[in-house]
Amino acid sequence: QVQLVESGGGLVQPGGSLRLSCAASGFTFSMYGMFWYRQAPGKEREFVATVTNTGTNTAYADSVKGRFTISRDNTKATVYLQMNSLKPEDTAVYYCNAYRFSTPRAYNYWGQGTQVTVSS
């Protein structure tokens, strides 16, 4: 079955770094755009970053641009999120998402999330 398993979250001090990983299985990873979203307590889930299926193009939310880097390794069916210069407002559960549209339907898969806490 389809699985997206995030890892790498934890507690880090402001200014620190973390690298999240999301290991995919059960679908053809290289055909899917991959996304990271996050959800802070009491807030809606928000877009963080995306990478195209080939890894050629990326895009970021303004709030993380210049600090976060998304990448993928299709040979390992894994997507990464390198997070530098972390701020307390980056505290959230981070979710991995796989998306592909193939007429007539969309294929949309989510991981279970990993907690990132930025605090001194």
Side-chain angles (χ1 to χ4, degrees), residues 20-31:
L20 305 184
S21 299
C22 172
S25 60
F27 63 99
T28 307
F29 181 76
S30 61
M31 296 182 71

Side-chain angles (χ1 to χ4, degrees), residues 55-112:
T56 303
N57 294 307
T58 59
Y60 299 89
D62 287 344
S63 59
V64 307
K65 204 171 292 183
R67 300 188 297 122
F68 291 11
T69 302
I70 189 171
S71 61
R72 65 189 296 161
D73 185 340
N74 285 351
T75 66
K76 297 181 179 180
T78 301
V79 62
Y80 306 97
L81 186 67
Q82 178 67 44
M83 305 186 295
N84 299 329
S85 302
L86 282 161
K87 305 175 181 180
E89 51 263 43
D90 295 318
T91 295
V93 177
Y94 283 71
Y95 296 91
C96 174
N97 170 253
Y99 179 85
R100 173 179 177 242
F101 183 81
S102 179
T103 305
R105 60 162 288 187
Y107 299 83
N108 196 22
Y109 308 125
W110 291 91
Q112 83 290 348

Side-chain angles (χ1 to χ4, degrees), residues 3-21:
Q3 279 194 309
L4 291 172
V5 180
E6 298 100 332
S7 61
L11 174 64
V12 63
Q13 292 187 342
S17 297
L18 281 175
R19 188 195 196 203
L20 305 184
S21 299

